[in-house]
């Protein structure tokens, strides 16, 4: 397996534009996580899915953020409209929930810059 | 809110010395995991310790867990320059029947040659 695949790797956009980040989890994994990493806030859990169903989106900072997982092999995180303070590295991770073995595998991240 | 607080935030030691990082958390957990992040890369899983375990070893890594104090420590023995990275603890909790993985702020470890 190629691991968790995120796209794009880098995104530069103007304030007010819509941004869509994409994630392909590892085949067979049943949990998917979206994180945001900044120097100030560290690694924040934004939302996570189990069997394609959103479980907890309390970490999503504002209504401008939304996430979907239409099937087991694809998820998106959308920011509309984007603002400069959304600039961060966004990570997607997936795991297979099994008794006692729940390590997460991370993608390489998407570095978002909103100007 | 995020839980899992590592200390120190930054640690700089000489090659060959041991490095110890600590993690505290607030809620009940299924297990606690440690990850490593090289600059500009995604996190990589290092070791997992279950809530009913007290100590675990993997190569040069030693992890302890004290559930009564809600704390864990990661020890890297005989450090190498290549160990320079950020290290994060993550608490594995169950929320609404699903896995919830929450990370701490991390410890930046620098190994000086």
């Amino acid at each position: 397996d190629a691991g968790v695949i995120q796209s794009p790797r880098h995104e530069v956009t103007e304030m007010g534009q819509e941004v869509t980040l994409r994630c392909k989890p590892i085949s067979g994994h049943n949990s998917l996580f979206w994180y945001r990493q900044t120097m100030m806030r560290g690694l924040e859990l934004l939302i996570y899915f189990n069997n394609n169903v959103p479980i907890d989106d309390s970490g999503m900072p504002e209504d401008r953020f939304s996430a979907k997982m239409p099937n087991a092999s694809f998820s998106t995180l959308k920011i509309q409209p984007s603002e400069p303070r959304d600039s961060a590295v966004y990570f997607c991770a997936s795991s297979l929930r099994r008794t006692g073995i729940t390590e997460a595998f991370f993608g390489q991240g998407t570095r978002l810059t909103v100007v | 809110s995020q839980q899992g607080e590592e200390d120190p935030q930054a640690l700089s030691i000489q090659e060959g010395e041991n490095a110890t990082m600590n993690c505290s958390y607030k809620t009940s957990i299924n297990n606690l995991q440690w990850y490593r992040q090289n600059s500009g890369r995604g996190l990589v899983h290092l070791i997992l310790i279950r809530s009913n375990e007290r100590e675990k070893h993997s190569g040069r890594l030693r992890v302890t867990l004290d559930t009564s104090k809600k704390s864990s420590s990661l020890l890297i023995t005989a450090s190498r320059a290549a160990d320079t990275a950020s290290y994060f603890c993550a608490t594995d909790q169950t929320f609404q029947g699903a896995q919830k993985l929450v990370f701490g702020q991390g410890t930046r470890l620098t190994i000086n040659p």
Side-chain angles (χ1 to χ4, degrees), chain A residues 53-114:
Chain A
V53 176
I55 301 300
D56 183 5
D57 66 354
S58 61
M60 298 284 257
E62 298 174 36
D63 291 344
R64 298 183 294 106
F65 287 70
S66 63
K68 294 182 180 179
M69 192 164 187
N71 56 62
S73 59
F74 185 65
S75 178
T76 60
L77 177 67
K78 184 176 294 186
I79 308 173
Q80 166 63 21
S82 58
E83 296 182 3
R85 57 184 168 150
D86 301 331
S87 297
V89 180
Y90 291 81
F91 287 102
C92 172
S94 71
S95 71
L96 174 61
R97 185 77 188 278
R98 295 172 292 178
T99 301
I101 306 173
T102 52
E103 69 174 283
F105 294 82
F106 278 73
Q108 291 301 301
T110 294
R111 181 175 297 277
L112 173 66
T113 303
V114 183

Side-chain angles (χ1 to χ4, degrees), chain A residues 35 37 95 97 102 104 108, chain B residues 35 37 41 92 94 99 101:
Chain A
Y35 294 91
Q37 187 175 37
S95 71
R97 185 77 188 278
T102 52
Q108 291 301 301
Chain B
Y35 288 76
Q37 183 181 36
R41 310 293 295 272
D92 185 322
T94 298
Q99 177 192 13
L101 201 58

Side-chain angles (χ1 to χ4, degrees), chain B residues 1 8 14 29 38 40 43 49 51 73 76 93 98-99:
Chain B
S1 63
Q14 294 299 121
I29 61 173
N38 285 72
L43 280 72
I49 186 166
S51 60
S73 67
I76 303 175
Q93 311 155 39
Q99 177 192 13

